[in-house]
Amino acid sequence: MPINDRVAWEHGGGWGLFDADGATIEASNYYRGPGKNVVGQGLSTDLPLSSIDVAPPGKYLYGGNLINHYGHFLLSTLSRFWLAHIEDISHYRIVCHAAGTPSSWFSNRFVRDIFGSLGLTEKNFVVFKRPTLLPEVMVPRPSAEEHNFTHQIYNNLGRTIGQNFLRDFELEINDRPIWLSKTKLGSGVQGIANEDRIVELMEAEGVEIIHPQELFPLAQVMMFNTRSKIMSAAGSALHTKLFGAAGRVICLINHETINSNYALTETFSPNPIEFYTCDMHESTSATKKFNQSLVIENPENVARELLSAIHN
């Protein structure tokens, strides 16, 4: 059952992969934790088989929900592609749930480049816009699930992708510290309203300011594999560390509890992210560009402490 292109997939209700009796195929479900919370899709359908199109012949692999958001793409969509660490999957027709078409998905650079590193192009992908019967489809369970679990093979896949990105380059370590900034990001989930003050103080101390959304995926992967000192507030850009990291990565958070997605994806990392907290409060500005906009109460002290930490 397809996603309705006119309704946000998180609220689309009836989409999903079902057996001949109309019950959900549990391995195909998109869960987010903590716990088994199904996001958006239906758990059953009563559509009679006689009214359903039949898919063209082919060897189908279920690719899950293709999410065009960088962080969710890495944490959820990519987690079903662990088979690419074991075998060449380019001979499969990969059927996904998503709005739009494979052509529109691949117009997004990170989708095109990350799948391309696995030998996949838009021609490998198919999306059905009508209820469609698949006589046979292989459904890989996710190798990572947001806020629930991660497996070693998920991290192995990330390292494989990183190596594929960088195999034609000679890498040199750069010890100049960098700060990953959201000051030029148009919108996002969480941001710091007075981050510009942190940026100003960091720049004065010789830190290079990087805006990850302006970099192609290759440049982001190369950055994590050549920079020995990376600082950032919490955000999707840090998930690029899945593809390998050369040195220390420090993350600034606003409370003592670490987002479990970071903890899970760092489970098998040889050099886990280091987390530092500071006092922040929610912004009351009416022009917030983030779902949650926070204000650092003493940005001068925070910048000094982060610089001291990264140099020690």
Side-chain angles (χ1 to χ4, degrees):
M1 292 291 291
I3 283 176
N4 184 338
D5 283 0
R6 297 185 298 276
V7 180
W9 62 264
E10 299 97 324
H11 313 297
W15 63 271
L17 197 63
F18 307 95
D19 64 22
D21 295 325
T24 184
I25 296 175
E26 192 274 335
S28 73
N29 289 347
Y30 176 34
Y31 296 110
R32 283 186 194 165
K36 290 290 188 181
N37 301 303
V38 176
V39 182
Q41 68 193 86
L43 295 179
S44 64
T45 181
D46 56 5
L47 195 68
L49 292 179
S50 59
S51 66
I52 299 177
D53 297 344
V54 178
K59 192 173 183 181
Y60 287 94
L61 180 74
Y62 184 60
N65 186 12
L66 200 150
I67 308 172
N68 259 322
H69 173 277
Y70 186 67
H72 291 302
F73 178 86
L74 295 188
L75 292 170
S76 292
T77 299
L78 197 61
S79 78
R80 286 193 188 270
F81 286 78
W82 55 266
L83 197 61
H85 182 68
I86 298 172
E87 64 174 84
D88 177 7
I89 63 172
S90 63
H91 59 286
Y92 286 102
R93 300 195 74 191
I94 302 172
V95 59
C96 291
H97 276 103
T101 64
S103 178
S104 66
W105 310 337
F106 274 73
S107 66
N108 190 320
R109 186 65 185 253
F110 71 77
V111 173
R112 183 166 71 250
D113 288 1
I114 290 171
F115 279 148
S117 75
L118 299 176
L120 302 174
T121 71
E122 66 179 83
K123 293 180 180 178
N124 291 107
F125 290 82
V126 60
V127 61
F128 297 109
K129 295 301 182 181
R130 289 174 47 82
T132 302
L133 178 66
L134 294 162
E136 185 176 355
V137 58
M138 183 159 67
V139 183
R141 287 184 178 273
S143 56
E145 202 168 85
E146 293 183 53
H147 304 295
N148 279 335
F149 63 80
T150 187
H151 290 285
Q152 176 74 62
I153 199 166
Y154 173 71
N155 294 76
N156 292 347
L157 174 65
R159 300 300 179 267
T160 295
I161 291 171
Q163 290 165 11
N164 290 345
F165 266 117
L166 302 173
R167 61 188 166 198
D168 296 328
F169 297 90
E170 251 183 69
L171 305 182
E172 293 185 7
I173 300 300
N174 186 335
D175 290 325
R176 182 183 178 187
I178 62 176
W179 171 262
L180 306 184
S181 175
K182 294 185 182 180
T183 53
K184 293 184 179 180
L185 196 62
S187 62
V189 176
Q190 185 185 83
I192 297 172
N194 59 340
E195 188 201 340
D196 54 342
R197 183 59 181 147
I198 295 284
V199 167
E200 181 184 346
L201 295 163
M202 291 281 188
E203 278 190 306
E205 294 297 324
V207 174
E208 184 176 358
I209 308 303
I210 302 289
H211 301 277
Q213 77 278 3
E214 297 179 348
L215 302 179
F216 289 150
L218 169 61
Q220 292 192 49
V221 174
M222 187 172 290
M223 174 180 68
F224 272 85
N225 281 274
T226 57
R227 295 292 190 148
S228 64
K229 299 172 182 177
I230 297 175
M231 297 176 286
S232 176
S236 294
L238 287 175
H239 293 311
T240 305
K241 189 174 178 291
L242 173 68
F243 305 131
R248 296 180 66 193
V249 180
I250 284 179
C251 176
L252 182 66
I253 56 177
N254 67 314
H255 45 67
E256 296 293 337
T257 303
I258 298 169
N259 184 303
S260 56
N261 281 336
Y262 291 116
L264 288 168
T265 55
E266 290 293 288
T267 300
F268 303 103
S269 175
N271 52 340
I273 294 173
E274 301 169 35
F275 293 93
Y276 288 80
T277 63
C278 72
D279 291 329
M280 300 187 199
H281 63 267
E282 188 123 15
S283 171
T284 57
S285 169
T287 59
K288 293 191 299 184
K289 62 181 180 179
F290 298 100
N291 293 347
Q292 183 182 39
S293 187
L294 302 166
V295 176
I296 295 177
E297 295 184 9
N298 194 326
E300 292 79 9
N301 281 353
V302 169
R304 278 196 296 270
E305 290 184 22
L306 288 174
L307 287 166
S308 175
I310 202 72
H311 286 303
N312 289 334

